[in-house]
Amino acid sequence: MIWSLDFILLIFVVVCAIAAITVKDLLSAVIILAAYSFFMALLWAAMGAVDVAFTEASVGAGASTVFFIAAVFKTTRRAKG
Amino acid sequence: MIVQYENIIIKTISRILIPFIQIYALYVIMHGHYSPGGGFQGGVILGASFILLVLAFGAEASQKRISLKKLTVLASLGLLIFSGIGLVALLMGGNYLDYGKLPLPLESIPKIRAMGILGIEIGVGIGVMAIMITIFLAIASYETEGKND
């Protein structure tokens, strides 16, 4: 495990997590959450948990993003408050 | 949402890409017992390929390949395979999901265990695929009353 790569990935994860809950546009939040999931998958793979990384990449960045986009399309795109 | 949207690029790319996604998903399911991956991940990828089919060609055109009735049957079939293998092991005198006790015509216990785990992976894959597509169709075909901005 490379220390600097791990640090950069963790910074990306934290930035994506904070951006996903602060952004007003819900479609942008969904895409940022997919990016968060992707960086999390890279982090799992760097830690040696390849099976967890596989699940995170396929479910977090793949399937749940499609579900969230369908839900946003059916409701509203702007967050209230 | 799932009405057909005329775009030749999306339709052609989907038509080329979907078989490769499905082959990869089958690879992940079949090699689940000695490499990363398995029934759940392969099932999600297989479901994502059908979701891509619905997104590209619309729910009406893909209705003859995947209908809700077929998906319900497939989800129940996956659960039946999973619990059926477990119950067969229980009936043959082992514990629940004890693959070594399965009545398979193989010479050694480790090979019987490998085949039992493969059956479990196939059942999980079919069930997860059907449930993923059902969730997507349920969200996408939900009718909202009132405004839709």
Side-chain angles (χ1 to χ4, degrees):
Chain A
M1 196 150 86
I2 309 162
W3 178 84
S4 50
L5 175 72
D6 219 38
F7 187 68
I8 293 170
L9 283 178
L10 268 176
I11 286 178
F12 270 123
V13 165
V14 171
V15 167
C16 284
I18 293 174
I21 58 172
T22 48
V23 73
K24 287 287 182 225
D25 190 359
L26 287 180
L27 196 57
S28 311
V30 170
I31 301 299
I32 294 170
L33 202 65
Y36 163 85
S37 211
F38 178 68
F39 285 122
M40 206 65 211
L42 287 182
L43 208 53
W44 291 125
M47 283 190 280
V50 188
D51 217 343
V52 185
F54 205 152
T55 311
E56 182 81 41
S58 62
V59 177
S64 73
T65 305
V66 179
F67 294 162
F68 281 140
I69 287 177
V72 166
F73 198 86
K74 282 295 167 183
T75 53
T76 176
R77 203 175 151 174
R78 304 296 302 175
K80 289 193 178 67
Chain B
M1 177 177 183
I2 41 179
V3 292
Q4 192 172 5
Y5 177 69
E6 286 299 330
N7 192 328
I8 187 117
I9 297 175
I10 292 177
K11 290 171 84 168
T12 311
I13 291 293
S14 303
R15 188 176 290 137
I16 294 171
L17 212 56
I18 284 172
F20 290 102
I21 298 176
Q22 289 177 345
I23 285 287
Y24 179 61
L26 290 179
Y27 170 82
V28 169
I29 290 178
M30 287 319 224
H31 289 249
H33 47 292
Y34 46 77
S35 71
F40 184 76
Q41 289 93 332
V44 169
I45 297 172
L46 204 56
S49 75
F50 282 107
I51 289 175
L52 180 62
L53 182 79
V54 175
L55 282 177
F57 293 94
E60 297 295 323
S62 49
Q63 197 64 244
K64 62 177 182 291
R65 293 183 195 275
I66 37 167
S67 61
L68 269 180
K69 188 180 279 184
K70 247 187 253 178
L71 285 175
T72 313
V73 171
L74 277 178
S76 311
L77 180 73
L79 189 61
L80 183 72
I81 292 174
F82 185 93
S83 55
I85 290 177
L87 280 178
V88 166
L90 200 63
L91 288 177
M92 299 306 285
N95 289 318
Y96 189 72
L97 292 178
D98 186 1
Y99 313 116
K101 296 285 197 299
L102 288 177
L104 291 176
L106 292 171
E107 60 266 31
S108 62
I109 295 289
K111 284 186 179 175
I112 295 177
R113 285 192 184 276
M115 284 300 117
I117 296 175
L118 184 60
I120 293 292
E121 304 273 13
I122 290 172
V124 172
I126 293 174
V128 169
M129 178 204 74
I131 292 297
M132 281 290 160
I133 307 168
T134 310
I135 292 174
F136 175 72
L137 287 180
I139 296 175
S141 62
Y142 178 73
E143 291 298 326
T144 48
E145 67 275 6
K147 63 180 187 302
N148 190 0
D149 51 346

